[in-house]
Amino acid sequence: MAKSYPEQLGEWVKKRQSTKRDKNLVAFLAVKNDVQAALDAGYAVKTIWANMFDTQRIEFGYDTFLNHVNRLIRRPQAARPTETETTATANSDTKSKTSKTQKTTKPPSSQAGFVFDPKPNKEDLF
């Protein structure tokens, strides 16, 4: 009897040599909750990394640590679509193309930052 693909894939993964990247990710996932708690307490990412590196809880550099923090803690929703995005994608097939291209614009008075108005108000000049 032929094996299913997940079974074949499982055997291949067991035979495969684990990479440094895989080991670093596993090490980060092991300390992820502690990192989250330290960030919530207000500590800087570099301080957290320095402590964990000095105590040998992790064995990879700051850049790798920062990438994992950004990808898995700070912006986890960017890595995978949320339920509303999935629903919106499914419903977008029924919408017309013109509704997709329409953009909502804010009036100039509600835009943040500097907005140049070539026609000045007379009241503002005096």
Side-chain angles (χ1 to χ4, degrees), residues 21-79:
R21 180 179 178 172
D22 294 337
K23 291 177 184 176
N24 291 344
L25 179 59
V26 169
F28 182 81
L29 290 174
V31 298
K32 180 183 173 195
N33 292 335
D34 293 338
V35 173
Q36 179 69 54
L39 287 171
D40 292 342
Y43 288 98
V45 176
K46 189 148 191 167
T47 303
I48 299 166
W49 169 80
N51 175 266
M52 289 189 168
F53 189 79
D54 287 345
T55 59
Q56 297 179 346
R57 290 184 71 186
I58 56 172
E59 298 178 354
F60 47 87
Y62 175 69
D63 290 337
T64 302
F65 184 79
L66 182 60
N67 286 337
H68 289 312
V69 167
N70 287 335
R71 188 168 46 95
L72 299 171
I73 295 176
R74 289 185 175 162
R75 295 185 299 262
Q77 68 277 5

Side-chain angles (χ1 to χ4, degrees), residues 53-113:
F53 189 79
D54 287 345
T55 59
Q56 297 179 346
R57 290 184 71 186
I58 56 172
E59 298 178 354
F60 47 87
Y62 175 69
D63 290 337
T64 302
F65 184 79
L66 182 60
N67 286 337
H68 289 312
V69 167
N70 287 335
R71 188 168 46 95
L72 299 171
I73 295 176
R74 289 185 175 162
R75 295 185 299 262
Q77 68 277 5
R80 53 185 134 34
T82 61
E83 183 178 327
T84 56
E85 289 173 353
T86 307
T87 306
T89 305
N91 291 337
S92 67
D93 294 338
T94 60
K95 295 181 180 178
S96 66
K97 290 183 180 181
T98 56
S99 65
K100 290 181 185 177
T101 58
Q102 292 175 347
K103 294 182 181 178
T104 58
T105 58
K106 296 179 183 176
S109 62
S110 67
Q111 290 180 345

